[in-house]
Amino acid sequence: MPHPSGGPSGTDTFPALCGHTHLFPGARCRVQGLADPDAFAAAPRPLDVDLRFSDGVLVAARLLTEPGEGSPLVLAVPAHTTAAGTRIDARAWRIRGLVVREGADVELVVGALPRS
């Protein structure tokens, strides 16, 4: 099933709510506004997301996919600063799972950083 090209209100970016002030292995972010969350979870595609952390900080990030079935998903997050002033370096986080939640959100479960 094809994915829509735009997010809410015709944008190309989707909101993603994160339960903490930063990412770490095991952290979760809920992507909202996907037209067909089940199809996205079954066959993810590159996606721009606005990560909203629990302290209110908003960071533009990108969910990336590698060619080939079974390839890992990676969430590329640029450097940013928490509301408390802590500087967070740019990182690419491996996504270890996607879970469709009630209310049509897709929850990303963050895994370890990919090895360089």
Side-chain angles (χ1 to χ4, degrees):
M1 174 173 221
H3 294 286
S5 61
S9 304
T11 67
D12 291 331
T13 304
F14 293 83
L17 304 178
C18 302
H20 298 278
T21 60
H22 60 283
L23 297 177
F24 53 88
R28 295 169 184 262
C29 297
R30 293 175 72 145
V31 179
Q32 300 177 318
L34 296 167
D36 190 343
D38 291 311
F40 181 82
R45 62 178 169 79
L47 193 68
D48 289 323
V49 294
D50 285 331
L51 300 176
R52 180 169 301 277
F53 291 98
S54 65
D55 60 1
V57 171
L58 187 67
V59 178
R62 179 115 173 115
L63 183 64
L64 305 168
T65 57
E66 297 291 325
E69 191 167 325
S71 295
L73 294 172
V74 174
L75 182 63
V77 182
H80 59 282
T81 303
T82 68
T86 303
R87 180 88 175 133
I88 306 291
D89 292 333
R91 294 191 181 187
W93 294 93
R94 188 171 303 238
I95 299 302
R96 72 175 188 208
L98 295 171
V99 180
V100 177
R101 294 290 182 197
E102 191 173 322
D105 294 348
V106 173
E107 188 170 71
L108 306 176
V109 181
V110 176
L113 293 170
R115 295 193 177 176
S116 322

